[in-house]
Amino acid sequence: MAFKDLTIHDFTTVLSTSEPVPGGGGACGLVAAVGTSLGNMVLSLTTGKKKFAEYQKEIDEYIVELSELTEMLLDDMDKDAEAFEPLAKAYSLPKDTKEEIEAREKIMEEALFVASEAPLNMMETIIRAIKVVDRVTRIGTRFAVSDAGVALQCLRAAINGASLNVFINTKAMKNREVADALADRATKLVEEAEALVADAYFVAIDRL
């Protein structure tokens, strides 16, 4: 069964065990999906209101986009687990002979790359979500602006968390050129997210 199909109780139960997945990546996907869902809640409370008629076209588009992003992030929970599985197996490979060590290092390098790409893809989806919810913070009903702010904080936590999954993998890679390129992508996404969320936070405060 896909992680997104588990109850919250069942997911958090398996998350608390020694099972290799779900882990931090799955948790980030869930937290981010909570953020996009909260953003959509604000839009649902705003749509159709005369006071916000000038934004109705945007609202309609954002409701669809956030729904799609929520599904993508929930799917990312399983994609992250799938990407981590080869790496988990690679750590268990034998390393008693020179040949085994060389084979293990090659497999590890490939597995580390795959395990880095999954959270990076999640981060790029989260950035899309942050940009939408940033706008929701500005055009959504003031009665739910605090919820838009919470949505952004969820997305911020998720993207920061996902970046840690990138950095722990790139740090272990032998090919430093590839590793540095992956880490640089993650760093730039975090910086972009921090700037957006910090600005939107004060917009939310002002609209309370």
Side-chain angles (χ1 to χ4, degrees), residues 113-177:
F113 178 82
V114 171
S116 299
E117 278 285 300
L120 268 171
N121 291 337
M122 184 187 293
M123 290 176 72
E124 289 170 351
T125 301
I126 295 172
I127 277 289
R128 285 180 56 192
I130 288 174
K131 290 176 179 177
V132 174
V133 181
D134 170 75
R135 183 61 177 157
V136 173
T137 304
R138 300 162 198 274
I139 67 173
T141 175
R142 290 181 64 180
F143 293 112
V145 69
S146 61
D147 296 295
V150 172
L152 283 168
Q153 294 304 320
C154 287
L155 292 165
R156 177 192 184 199
I159 200 167
N160 285 340
S163 74
L164 295 176
N165 287 337
V166 176
F167 298 142
I168 194 171
N169 291 322
T170 57
K171 185 176 181 180
M173 293 176 69
K174 300 290 185 182
N175 187 328
R176 297 315 307 164
E177 183 177 352

Side-chain angles (χ1 to χ4, degrees), residues 93-94 97-108:
L93 290 173
T97 67
K98 180 180 178 181
E99 291 75 16
E100 287 177 345
I101 292 172
E102 290 176 351
R104 183 178 184 271
E105 287 183 352
K106 181 179 179 181
I107 293 171
M108 280 284 295

